[in-house]
Amino acid sequence: MRIELPQPHAGQRHILKNRKRFTVVRCGRRFGKTILGELDIIPTAIAGYPTGWFAPNYKYLDEPWRDMNRILDPLIAESSKQERRIILKTGGSIDFWTMDDENCGRSRKYKKVVIDEAGLVSNLSGIFYAAIRPTLTDLGGEAMMLGTPKGRRAIQEFFQKGEQGDTDWVSFRGKTRDNPSIPTTEIDEMEKAYTKAGLRHIFLQECEGIPADDGGNPFGLKAIRDAIRPESSRDAVAFGVDLAKSEDFTVVIGLDENGCVCVIERWQSDWGQTKRRIRDLIGTTHTVMDSTGVGDPITESMQSMGCNVEGFKFSMPSKQQLMEGLRDDIQGGTISYPDGWLVAELESFEFEYTKMGVRYSAPAGLHDDGVCALALAAKGLRERSRDYSEFGLVEF
């Protein structure tokens, strides 16, 4: 049987030739990191060994799942998308895991693992040492971590181990320019545009694999952590609501008069249940709600129920203004929130300079529903404070 693997470019060949037991690759966009991981793991599986592929969530598993099923088709004895497992006629296997489950890979043993998009995993260090590293003990297995750096996250901790001469670790940096299929003129134009916009640090991160301190995060990673406080038990004076789109969540966040999060809820359900749940949470308290697309009739419906709801339509300019307001609130210490999934969303949120302006969003495959709801609640709180200030109102 003939198995045809993708032809590695020079940068990928250098890494494959010089890898060690633990290999960390900090890549620029379009370097070809997922293909590099496939080139590393497939020969081991063909040789008859169990292997594991890890990614931040299911969306990041789709491409390698399709690739490896296509490449290995003549050798596949069984392929189960439900179990996310490929078993080969040689006795080897590839398991696919998402790292939103911190117990991923437990009870398994592997000869090779690849951690794809490692820069997006906020608890990479904890998951690696508690769940993934023990899977390599039985067979003396190897691991390869691949990712675009995002600020000073855990991938940097592992990258530094290779830089500091640890015997079992080696680190590489893959540039976008290393990929011969990417036109050099496009990269040059991108570098020029980012530099002109004062965002050269983002170009270095996204194309050169050199991390920016805040990884393109508009709020600042230190400021995000400094604003963590326990959830308040006071009543909310302003709410923000971000409505679910496709696979996203509906999120409701309430802030008390001191800017502390006192309500934080997220769920997925039909619109009837969603409207009733929102109504029960917000009552008649002033609420800023996402009214983009399907949100417009939902906002009108909530208003007809007697809720004090103000619609907010998202566009690139309006989202930029909204997020810059949230940035000022976080960095100014005027709002706070509990640790957990909301902090993870804030840390992964990023901005990117485009020809159309500045785009604010979560990385592909991740969520920003909580960030948007928090920003809407902060907007409502600022409006309330401004009204009381301008009209000399006193709340009893």
Side-chain angles (χ1 to χ4, degrees):
M1 295 181 184
R2 182 178 177 83
I3 300 297
E4 293 189 4
L5 295 175
Q7 197 64 251
H9 59 65
Q12 293 168 330
R13 283 198 302 271
H14 174 72
I15 293 169
L16 291 169
K17 183 179 179 180
N18 295 283
R19 65 188 186 275
K20 291 186 177 181
R21 185 178 186 189
F22 301 106
T23 302
V24 185
V25 187
R26 212 170 57 187
C27 308
R29 295 274 184 94
R30 306 296 300 148
F31 168 77
K33 58 183 177 297
T34 301
I35 291 176
L36 173 62
E38 293 170 1
L39 290 169
D40 192 40
I41 204 171
I42 286 174
T44 305
I46 291 176
Y49 291 103
T51 64
W53 186 282
F54 296 80
N57 55 46
Y58 283 111
K59 288 186 179 181
Y60 287 106
L61 289 181
D62 285 343
E63 181 182 345
W65 170 262
R66 290 194 304 268
D67 283 352
M68 285 188 265
N69 270 277
R70 174 179 53 79
I71 293 169
L72 293 167
D73 182 62
L75 282 178
I76 292 178
E78 182 182 344
S79 176
S80 172
K81 192 166 186 179
Q82 183 177 3
E83 295 182 7
R84 292 283 180 175
R85 193 176 201 205
I86 298 172
I87 300 176
L88 303 182
K89 296 173 183 178
T90 62
S93 62
I94 307 174
D95 294 331
F96 294 78
W97 299 93
T98 64
M99 296 177 71
D100 49 13
D101 176 5
E102 297 197 352
N103 293 311
C104 53
R106 282 185 181 272
S107 79
R108 300 294 176 89
K109 58 182 180 182
Y110 294 125
K111 183 67 173 176
K112 175 88 70 178
V113 301
V114 170
I115 303 173
D116 195 17
E117 296 293 354
L120 298 179
V121 182
S122 58
N123 190 27
L124 176 64
S125 182
I127 296 174
F128 178 76
Y129 285 119
I132 298 176
R133 176 63 180 86
T135 68
L136 304 175
T137 54
D138 291 78
L139 301 175
E142 301 176 352
M144 178 178 282
M145 295 185 188
L146 307 162
T148 302
K150 294 290 181 182
R152 302 297 174 181
R153 295 191 184 182
I155 192 173
Q156 301 307 103
E157 169 193 334
F158 295 112
F159 189 87
Q160 288 168 1
K161 290 174 74 69
E163 284 188 319
Q164 292 166 358
D166 191 305
T167 305
D168 290 332
W169 289 79
V170 64
S171 299
F172 299 95
R173 184 159 61 90
K175 303 178 183 179
T176 304
R177 294 182 189 276
D178 293 339
N179 189 340
S181 67
I182 306 298
T184 303
T185 53
E186 285 292 317
I187 303 172
D188 291 341
E189 182 182 336
M190 190 175 175
E191 181 175 13
K192 189 181 299 181
Y194 274 54
T195 302
K196 185 176 180 181
L199 301 174
R200 181 169 175 76
H201 59 294
I202 303 302
F203 172 81
L204 293 175
Q205 172 183 280
E206 299 301 317
C207 294
E208 300 285 313
I210 300 173
D213 284 341
D214 287 326
N217 185 285
F219 312 120
L221 299 180
K222 182 178 184 301
I224 291 171
R225 305 301 301 185
D226 287 345
I228 295 174
R229 301 284 188 280
E231 186 174 331
S232 170
S233 59
R234 292 173 175 265
D235 292 334
V237 298
F239 281 98
V241 179
D242 187 68
L243 297 171
K245 308 287 194 306
S246 182
E247 298 177 0
D248 294 335
F249 294 88
T250 291
V251 179
V252 176
I253 290 181
L255 297 174
D256 68 16
E257 60 184 0
N258 297 317
C260 301
V261 168
C262 55
V263 176
I264 178 168
E265 300 280 347
R266 67 171 178 171
W267 69 88
Q268 293 175 317
S269 64
D270 61 63
W271 288 121
Q273 293 177 333
T274 290
K275 287 189 289 186
R276 288 191 293 272
R277 188 166 177 179
I278 292 173
R279 179 196 60 195
D280 293 343
L281 285 168
I282 68 175
T284 58
T285 303
H286 178 56
T287 300
V288 184
M289 177 182 287
D290 169 18
S291 61
T292 312
V294 69
D296 197 24
I298 301 297
T299 299
E300 292 179 1
S301 179
M302 299 305 301
Q303 291 169 342
S304 69
M305 292 180 184
C307 298
N308 181 12
V309 174
E310 167 196 349
F312 181 91
K313 293 187 182 297
F314 279 97
S315 64
M316 185 179 288
S318 71
K319 191 170 186 179
Q320 177 180 348
Q321 186 176 20
L322 183 72
M323 293 304 161
E324 287 174 353
L326 179 60
R327 175 200 63 198
D328 293 343
D329 286 336
I330 291 175
Q331 294 182 353
T334 57
I335 65 170
S336 63
Y337 33 76
D339 201 358
W341 63 265
L342 177 58
V343 171
E345 279 195 13
L346 288 165
E347 289 182 334
S348 64
F349 198 76
E350 60 189 14
F351 70 91
E352 178 184 8
Y353 178 80
T354 71
K355 293 179 180 179
M356 302 297 293
V358 182
R359 180 172 61 208
Y360 289 81
S361 65
L366 301 184
H367 297 284
D368 64 1
D369 319 286
V371 177
C372 291
L374 181 64
L376 292 170
K379 179 179 184 294
L381 186 64
R382 288 194 301 273
E383 291 172 348
R384 175 181 179 274
S385 300
R386 185 164 54 247
D387 289 343
Y388 277 84
S389 176
E390 289 180 359
F391 297 103
L393 301 176
V394 178
E395 184 176 22
F396 294 95

